[in-house]
Amino acid sequence: MIWGFYHIHIMDKQVLESSEERTFQYQNSLPSLPVPPLDESLKKYLDAVKPFLNQEEYQRTEDIVKKFENGIGKELHQKLLERAKTRRNWLEDWWLNVAYLDLRISTQIYCNIGGPGPFIENYWPPKEGTQIERACVNIWHTLKYWDLLRAEKVAIERSGNAVLDMNQFRMLFCTCKIPGVTRDSICNYFKTETEGECPSHLVVLCRGRVFAFDAIHEGNMLNPPEIFRQLTYIQKRCHSEPDGPGLAALTSAERTKWAEIREYLIDLDPKNLTLLEKIQRSLFVVCLDDSSPHATPENYTEVTRLGLTGDPTVRWGDKSYNSIFFSNGTCGAFCDHSPFDAMALITMLSYAEGKINENEGKWKGSDKVRDIPWPEELVFTVDQKIMNEIGHAKESYYKKVSDLQLVNYAFISFGKALIRKKKLHPDTFVQLALQLAYYKCHGRPGCCYETAMTRRFYHGRTETIRSCTMEAVEWCKSMLDPSASACQRQQLMLKAFAKHNKIRKECENGKGFDRHLLGLLLIAQEQGLPVPELFVDTAFTTSGGGGNFVLSTSLTGYTKFGGSALPMVHHGYGFFYAIRDDRIIVTCSSWKSCPETDAEVLCRTVFQCFQDMLQLTVTAQL
């Protein structure tokens, strides 16, 4: 149950439309995901649990780890190596199931990711009456990206010289999760031009109703004036006729419940299956939302909150990409997290944003509108039982999301440029500020999950960087100790920086330990063996293992796109940030029903810690 965006150091430059290389050409030559040596993983694990244990507890955990290493662990590790021989990515299927598809909670609420569009900062400040006009320009650029991807002209991403796996980009379009009674599945209908035909229709949700229209007419893509015509038709109808049943709200239900309702819906009328498949196969979902969230370049709170937890009748929670357009022309993205991590999406959104800015937010092409077929309404056959279920789903959804506290602010005193000038790693800078802020707010270290990407390997996704190191804790203590000198604090800070940078590098190179331990646990389960003591030891959970991280964090790149997700545990925080040259945009979430946590307070404290850290580099002459 570990979510998050991941780390990438290549987002400084805009996506290039490459002509020589083909997007997916290196997929088959990528290295397989390695299995790290057992002794190394266990050593790293012991290092990671240290901040949360006293001497006696640590001694006990050390004994458990030794016993594991010389006993059952060795056996499980051998079995894992056997599995890795026959698969290019030994983790892939397991991860998909354990982290996403096996979950029975409402994944739309607890796992989906989303974020606000930064367009308000340039050409699209909030303005009533601009919803459709902006939507059609935005949709058009997104369609152009789909076209580039089909032609394999999206540039291959690299980290240094290493080619990165591009497989997640296939999941941006024509992808949907299907609920199952015990496990969900993912359907992906995307095809490149050489692979064959690809669905090309869009689905539009508005006021509880569902419409579809093709984005291609007689071999050519619809231009913005044509998309405008289609969306205006839908909007006029929805605003002059009664609201629809709001079937989309069912995607926010708990998974088994939704699977059962879906079966019932299909039994009610076989036509319902055809309509569901039409939504599943669509390029993406366009959500016309009636709310008008307040948004400024310094405060995206409302647009982010509504993007993530807004009206459930105009979001298809299982679709890999929902493009949300609010009534005042602000917009957001909302995605099912299972098929991809955030950077694939952010690459696409950055492409569209670049094009929108290049054209000053306008369409500068032809105004010619061809005689294209009107959108078709997807009218489901529903009965009283379905209507009641929709009602229950909405009620339960609103009850859960009303407990969410979320803030999304920009820290504008400085950003990447100044941090780099101090020869510090910007991401580590934010992570250490968060450690210090948590320590200040809660008086203890906070176990922290930061996403590292493993896309150097075939179908690689993520690994866990555990940011709460002994070095970070020692530094935090010095910052709160009035007797510590600036020089001591600075030395401890640099040690903490070095440690974090080292762990990140290891994780990106397949030398992290969290996924390895997960593999050993899953092998034991597959073999029907009892759960090894290592995984039931309190140290495992206290340090964040098994999805128990109090701080669930991620960098959404050095881009204009922030993102967010909810906390992993009830007493935890979701903490996501984008680092720009002149600012750091932070989204922090927590649950109101938890008396210990306060997203607003933590966020403000982090901002204060940014200043304190900069001050430290000045006083100590860094």
Side-chain angles (χ1 to χ4, degrees), residues 7 9 12 414-434 450 497 500-501 504 555 557-558 577-581 583-584 610 613:
H7 234 98
H9 302 301
D12 291 329
F414 58 86
K416 186 183 68 180
L418 187 60
I419 301 169
R420 283 242 165 105
K421 206 171 156 184
K422 300 283 179 189
K423 299 198 168 33
L424 295 171
H425 195 297
D427 173 68
T428 308
F429 186 92
V430 176
Q431 283 290 334
L432 288 176
L434 176 61
E450 183 191 357
F497 261 91
H500 191 91
N501 295 345
R504 177 194 306 107
L555 165 71
Y558 301 100
Y577 51 98
I579 305 174
R580 283 150 61 170
D581 277 342
R583 62 187 55 205
I584 301 168
F610 289 161
M613 286 168 74

Side-chain angles (χ1 to χ4, degrees), residues 131-277:
Q131 181 185 33
I132 303 295
E133 182 191 327
R134 291 174 183 181
C136 66
V137 173
N138 197 326
I139 290 165
W140 189 74
H141 288 300
T142 308
L143 291 172
K144 292 300 275 183
Y145 190 84
W146 164 67
D147 210 31
L148 286 172
L149 199 61
R150 284 220 347 114
E152 290 196 67
K153 284 183 177 163
V154 167
I156 296 169
E157 296 188 332
R158 286 176 163 77
S159 181
N161 294 328
V163 165
L164 299 181
D165 182 277
M166 296 296 285
N167 184 57
Q168 293 180 34
F169 285 77
R170 303 182 67 94
M171 306 294 170
L172 289 166
F173 299 101
C174 311
T175 302
C176 197
K177 188 164 66 184
I178 315 292
V181 175
T182 57
R183 172 182 285 167
D184 297 347
S185 55
I186 293 174
C187 284
N188 171 253
Y189 308 91
F190 173 81
K191 283 192 165 81
T192 62
E193 282 170 2
T194 51
E195 290 164 349
E197 286 295 304
C198 176
S200 57
H201 62 283
L202 293 167
V203 160
V204 181
L205 301 179
C206 182
R207 296 206 169 175
R209 295 166 72 174
V210 188
F211 293 83
F213 64 87
D214 211 304
I216 304 277
H217 179 64
E218 292 173 348
N220 287 313
M221 200 182 291
L222 265 52
N223 65 20
E226 290 168 337
I227 299 168
F228 185 87
R229 169 191 186 258
Q230 302 297 68
L231 296 181
T232 306
Y233 167 84
I234 292 168
Q235 193 183 49
K236 277 195 175 137
R237 280 196 54 187
C238 293
H239 285 236
S240 62
E241 298 167 57
D243 286 3
L247 198 82
L250 295 172
T251 63
S252 73
E254 285 165 356
R255 303 308 295 171
T256 300
K257 182 83 182 142
W258 166 216
E260 288 163 354
I261 300 168
R262 188 176 177 277
E263 281 310 309
Y264 177 84
L265 195 61
I266 293 164
D267 289 343
L268 199 59
D269 183 343
K271 192 189 75 171
N272 286 341
L273 176 60
T274 312
L275 300 180
L276 284 167
E277 283 176 343

Side-chain angles (χ1 to χ4, degrees), residues 206-454:
C206 182
R207 296 206 169 175
R209 295 166 72 174
V210 188
F211 293 83
F213 64 87
D214 211 304
I216 304 277
H217 179 64
E218 292 173 348
N220 287 313
M221 200 182 291
L222 265 52
N223 65 20
E226 290 168 337
I227 299 168
F228 185 87
R229 169 191 186 258
Q230 302 297 68
L231 296 181
T232 306
Y233 167 84
I234 292 168
Q235 193 183 49
K236 277 195 175 137
R237 280 196 54 187
C238 293
H239 285 236
S240 62
E241 298 167 57
D243 286 3
L247 198 82
L250 295 172
T251 63
S252 73
E254 285 165 356
R255 303 308 295 171
T256 300
K257 182 83 182 142
W258 166 216
E260 288 163 354
I261 300 168
R262 188 176 177 277
E263 281 310 309
Y264 177 84
L265 195 61
I266 293 164
D267 289 343
L268 199 59
D269 183 343
K271 192 189 75 171
N272 286 341
L273 176 60
T274 312
L275 300 180
L276 284 167
E277 283 176 343
K278 188 134 197 175
I279 298 170
Q280 287 156 206
R281 296 171 65 87
S282 66
L283 285 167
F284 55 95
V285 170
V286 174
C287 315
L288 298 180
D289 193 310
D290 285 340
S291 37
S292 291
H294 170 77
T296 69
E298 284 72 49
N299 184 352
Y300 278 103
T301 297
E302 210 175 321
V303 71
T304 304
R305 188 177 54 79
L306 285 174
L308 210 54
T309 59
D311 182 351
T313 67
V314 287
R315 316 268 185 284
W316 198 267
D318 293 341
K319 244 343 233 181
S320 67
Y321 177 44
N322 289 262
S323 192
I324 305 168
F325 299 97
F326 294 106
S327 163
N328 61 351
T330 54
C331 43
F334 185 56
C335 304
D336 169 36
H337 199 344
S338 43
F340 56 66
D341 302 303
M343 283 319 299
L345 175 78
I346 285 171
T347 301
M348 173 179 86
L349 295 175
S350 296
Y351 165 84
E353 192 235 359
K355 294 292 181 192
I356 288 166
N357 287 343
E358 223 173 273
N359 295 290
E360 298 161 340
K362 298 183 186 72
W363 164 243
K364 294 181 170 176
S366 156
D367 286 339
K368 190 173 180 298
V369 175
R370 293 168 290 171
D371 185 19
I372 46 182
W374 293 105
E376 156 204 12
E377 183 165 11
L378 309 186
V379 183
F380 286 84
T381 303
V382 296
D383 62 4
Q384 200 46 53
K385 176 179 157 64
I386 295 285
M387 291 309 293
N388 293 345
E389 293 292 2
I390 293 170
H392 292 319
K394 281 160 71 170
E395 195 182 332
S396 162
Y397 173 86
Y398 281 120
K399 189 172 174 218
K400 285 173 183 151
V401 303
S402 67
D403 187 31
L404 178 71
Q405 183 192 10
L406 181 143
V407 295
N408 186 351
Y409 299 138
F411 170 81
I412 54 174
S413 306
F414 58 86
K416 186 183 68 180
L418 187 60
I419 301 169
R420 283 242 165 105
K421 206 171 156 184
K422 300 283 179 189
K423 299 198 168 33
L424 295 171
H425 195 297
D427 173 68
T428 308
F429 186 92
V430 176
Q431 283 290 334
L432 288 176
L434 176 61
Q435 283 298 316
L436 180 55
Y438 186 88
Y439 208 104
K440 280 184 170 179
C441 294
H442 295 274
R444 59 176 186 273
C447 58
C448 180
Y449 167 93
E450 183 191 357
T451 331
M453 61 127 184
T454 51

Side-chain angles (χ1 to χ4, degrees), residues 32-33 35 79-88 90:
S32 298
L33 185 72
V35 177
K79 292 201 162 82
L80 191 58
L81 290 172
E82 287 303 310
R83 175 184 169 95
K85 275 181 192 159
T86 60
R87 289 174 167 81
R88 296 193 54 195
W90 57 266

